[in-house]
Amino acid sequence: SQAESYYTNHCLILSMMINTATMFLLPLLLLLFPSASSFGTTQQKKCVVKVCHNKDCCKKGGGDNLFRTFRDLVPSDDNNQLTIESTGCLSQCGKGPNVCVVKNGSDEKMYYDIKDALDASAVLDVATPEADLPIELLVAASNIHQAEHTASPAKKEELMTSVVTDLSKNSNPALMNSYAMFHALTIRADARLDTNNIDGAIEDARLASKIFPSEGNVWRILASAEEQRGSFDGAIVALGELARADPSFATKAKKEIERLSS
């Protein structure tokens, strides 16, 4: 009938209009609002490195030390494509320290007997060859690992000064704002505190806190240095930041603040 024909033609015209609008408007919307392309989807990390913190792996050099070594190797501009996490037992205790690399959310591969910066770098090179991690960070991570196993504060300061100097060359933000730079400044601040170089310790701790303010250890060092210099107000501020960065220290920080305020 004429009515049915009119209805059919109307639907066809409407469909063509919608398709045309979608064809031209959707690219424009995605250009203006790029985040809309991920609406309703879960963004996966490109690669997650899980470092075992089981006591057996920790005894062999894994745990926190190895966790920080992996973080030392990652530049600050990788846009969270490479994430380092701690994890529980990976069920291969006799082969530890162990690391599990997860790519695209599900592709897992185990790596065993990972003990130092060279081992960690080799894991990342194999697992994420596209990452192209800077050689400066490997050198930094190796020196940091050496400093953490050195008893002499003077030697620690010497090693960390070389790291800070190397990472500051060419003013590369990816290196200057890296975890390795933060780590080196924190170790040097602690070493300077041990040798009574209070001003140097405060300077390093303040620089480190600007890079990673969420790391509690740097605030602990800064609070101690400020107190030794006689700046109780500065120590109280640092303790407040410590409590915010690491809630597990909140009670202790509160007691220290009360002591300094009395």
Side-chain angles (χ1 to χ4, degrees):
S1 67
Q2 184 176 1
E4 290 177 344
S5 177
Y6 174 80
Y7 177 77
T8 301
N9 291 336
H10 181 75
C11 288
L12 286 174
I13 293 172
L14 183 61
S15 176
M16 291 175 61
M17 290 175 64
I18 293 174
N19 289 337
T20 302
T22 302
M23 183 184 304
F24 290 100
L25 289 178
L26 183 58
L28 179 60
L29 288 172
L30 292 179
L31 180 63
L32 294 175
F33 306 100
S35 60
S37 61
S38 60
F39 182 77
T41 63
T42 300
Q43 292 294 311
Q44 296 285 356
K45 299 291 186 183
K46 189 173 185 179
C47 181
V48 179
V49 178
K50 298 184 177 183
V51 181
C52 180
H53 273 60
N54 179 267
K55 62 180 181 180
D56 291 329
C57 281
C58 290
K59 289 178 181 178
K60 297 177 182 179
D64 285 338
N65 286 337
L66 187 59
F67 174 77
R68 288 193 294 267
T69 295
F70 271 100
R71 290 189 71 184
D72 287 335
L73 293 167
V74 181
S76 64
D77 64 348
D78 78 316
N79 297 318
N80 290 325
Q81 292 300 298
L82 182 58
T83 303
I84 314 300
E85 297 180 353
S86 60
T87 188
C89 184
L90 294 171
S91 302
Q92 296 289 341
C93 302
K95 301 178 181 180
N98 300 319
V99 171
C100 177
V101 176
V102 184
K103 299 190 71 174
N104 302 318
S106 59
D107 183 14
E108 296 187 0
K109 186 172 183 179
M110 291 286 298
Y111 296 86
Y112 309 108
D113 196 26
I114 310 301
K115 295 179 178 179
D116 54 29
L118 286 175
D119 292 341
S121 178
V123 169
L124 296 181
D125 284 343
V126 172
T128 58
E130 68 279 5
D132 192 23
L133 301 176
I135 187 64
E136 293 91 342
L137 292 181
L138 173 57
V139 175
S142 297
N143 283 329
I144 290 171
H145 184 268
Q146 183 181 347
E148 289 186 320
H149 292 81
T150 299
S152 167
K155 184 62 176 177
K156 286 184 178 182
E157 182 174 357
E158 177 187 343
L159 286 167
M160 295 304 91
T161 296
S162 70
V163 170
V164 172
T165 300
D166 288 344
L167 296 182
S168 299
K169 289 179 180 177
N170 303 321
S171 300
N172 184 346
L175 302 181
M176 294 181 68
N177 296 317
S178 64
Y179 185 83
M181 176 65 90
F182 162 84
H183 201 175
L185 287 168
T186 303
I187 293 174
R188 191 172 71 173
D190 208 14
R192 286 177 166 177
L193 199 58
D194 288 340
T195 58
N196 208 36
N197 181 358
I198 306 302
D199 289 340
I202 290 175
E203 180 183 4
D204 280 350
R206 286 177 176 172
L207 288 172
S209 69
K210 292 179 181 179
I211 300 174
F212 276 91
S214 60
E215 295 285 331
N217 188 43
V218 68
W219 296 112
R220 178 191 62 78
I221 295 171
L222 182 57
S224 180
E226 292 281 16
E227 181 180 1
Q228 288 191 40
R229 191 169 67 171
S231 176
F232 294 156
D233 288 343
I236 289 172
V237 171
L239 287 168
E241 294 296 337
L242 169 60
R244 277 187 283 272
D246 191 345
S248 66
F249 279 90
T251 301
K252 184 176 180 180
K254 182 179 179 181
K255 290 180 179 179
E256 287 295 300
I257 291 173
E258 291 174 350
R259 177 181 64 81
L260 292 170
S261 301
S262 61

